[in-house]
Amino acid sequence: QVQLVESGGGLVQAGGSLRLSCAASGRTFSTYPMGWFRQAPGKEREFVAAINFSGTYYADSVKGRFTISRDNAKNTVSLQMNSLKPEDTAVYYCAASAKYLGDYARPSMYGYWGQGTQVTVSS
């Protein structure tokens, strides 16, 4: 059974940093796409960042502030978030795909999801 478990969320002041981690078990995702999405209250789930064998991809809203990385040996993916803004407040979800090709920014690309971790940025 595949499980994705996020950690690292919390409360931070605007301008601060947080690092989210996602540990996968039950399957190795080292060559498959993994990503981060977020969902704020009353809004749809939105793409944040993704990583696959060819590179990294970011939403325009986080480009230059967030960095996605992975540790294939540990089967983990991380999201370093710097210069956080109040509008970054949301539940952040880790996602993993069993497909190599597709639109990395679409939730439908991913078949596995974590339970989410809350990130709150105060002004």
Side-chain angles (χ1 to χ4, degrees):
Q1 181 181 359
V2 175
Q3 280 192 316
L4 302 179
V5 179
E6 302 101 335
S7 61
L11 173 65
V12 65
Q13 287 188 332
S17 299
L18 281 175
R19 185 177 180 86
L20 305 183
S21 294
C22 172
S25 60
R27 179 175 180 152
T28 298
F29 291 100
S30 58
T31 60
Y32 289 94
M34 296 188 75
W36 289 93
F37 287 73
R38 65 188 181 188
Q39 189 166 18
K43 295 188 177 181
E44 293 188 352
R45 190 167 296 191
E46 66 171 1
F47 170 73
V48 175
I51 185 168
N52 74 344
F53 59 89
S54 65
T56 56
Y57 308 86
Y58 298 94
D60 288 342
S61 59
V62 306
K63 205 170 291 183
R65 300 188 298 122
F66 291 11
T67 303
I68 188 171
S69 61
R70 71 196 305 170
D71 185 333
N72 289 334
K74 296 181 179 179
N75 212 21
T76 60
V77 64
S78 298
L79 185 69
Q80 177 66 41
M81 305 185 294
N82 298 329
S83 302
L84 283 160
K85 303 175 182 180
E87 50 264 45
D88 294 319
T89 295
V91 177
Y92 282 70
Y93 296 90
C94 172
S97 176
K99 300 182 292 185
Y100 284 115
L101 299 178
D103 186 344
Y104 301 121
R106 286 188 174 272
S108 58
M109 171 75 181
Y110 303 88
Y112 306 98
W113 292 86
Q115 81 289 349
T117 185
Q118 177 70 46
V119 171
T120 302
V121 184
S122 63
S123 57

